[in-house]
Amino acid sequence: MGNDDADPTRRIGGFDTAGRTFVVTLFGGVGLALGLLLPWLAGFAADNGWVPFGGPVRWLASFDGSWLVWGRPLIGLVLGLAFAAWVLTNTAVLHVGPQEVRVERRGSVERVIPREAVDGVHRRGSKVVIESAGGRVLFRDDVEGDQAAVREAFVGAGYPWEGPPA
C-alpha cells in the first residue's frame, strides 16, 4: 500500500482493469454479434415494416460478397472495439486534493479547479457537479465509481458535500 500522507490527492473516476476489460468485452462482443446477426436482422426488418431503420439494415445486408461471411463480424468487432476505446478515453478522471481538483481526459489535464472557487459538490444521477458560490457550474460530468467513494474523496479533502451521505 502506498504512502497516502505524502500526497493526499485521491483519484476517482476512470475505469480499473476489470472495468476496462468489461467495457472492451461488452462493446466488442455486441459489435461482433451485430455483424453475425446482420443478415437475420435484415430479413426481420424486411418482414416487419414497423422496425425502425429497416431500410438501412436491409441495405447493409444486401452486400453479398463471399468475404462478408467473416467480414461482417470482423467489421462489427472493430467498430465495437473503437467505440469501447472512445468510451474509455473520454471518461473523466478527477484528482481531488485539498488545494485543487484536476480533471483529466485522454491522459492530459483538461481543467484545474482551485479549492477556493468551489462552494458545493453534489451528485445528480451518475454526474458529479461542482459549483461556485455564484451557482456557476465548474464541472458536471459522469464519474465512474462507487458513490460513497466519490463523496469520501471530496469530504476527505475538505470540500463541502451537499446531499445525502450516499
Side-chain angles (χ1 to χ4, degrees), residues 15-27:
F15 290 93
D16 59 4
T17 302
R20 283 190 299 274
T21 302
F22 175 76
V23 169
V24 168
T25 302
L26 176 69
F27 289 119

Side-chain angles (χ1 to χ4, degrees), residues 58-121:
R58 285 189 297 276
W59 177 77
L60 284 171
S62 70
F63 298 105
D64 60 355
S66 60
W67 67 273
L68 288 174
V69 170
W70 57 267
R72 278 188 194 108
L74 183 62
I75 291 169
L77 175 65
V78 169
L79 290 174
L81 293 175
F83 187 68
W86 180 82
V87 167
L88 293 174
T89 58
N90 284 299
T91 299
V93 177
L94 304 181
H95 297 271
V96 181
Q99 303 301 318
E100 66 187 18
V101 176
R102 285 188 331 272
V103 181
E104 289 185 1
R105 274 184 225 280
R106 295 177 287 290
S108 63
V109 175
E110 181 178 278
R111 177 182 304 160
V112 176
I113 304 169
R115 167 63 185 96
E116 55 272 1
V118 178
D119 192 54
V121 182

Side-chain angles (χ1 to χ4, degrees), residues 124-135:
R124 182 167 293 142
S126 64
K127 296 185 184 311
V128 170
V129 181
I130 302 173
E131 295 179 341
S132 70

Side-chain angles (χ1 to χ4, degrees), residues 33-48 51 54 57-58 61:
L34 286 175
L36 284 169
L37 297 174
L38 190 61
W40 179 83
L41 291 172
F44 182 77
D47 294 342
N48 298 293
V51 174
V57 171
R58 285 189 297 276

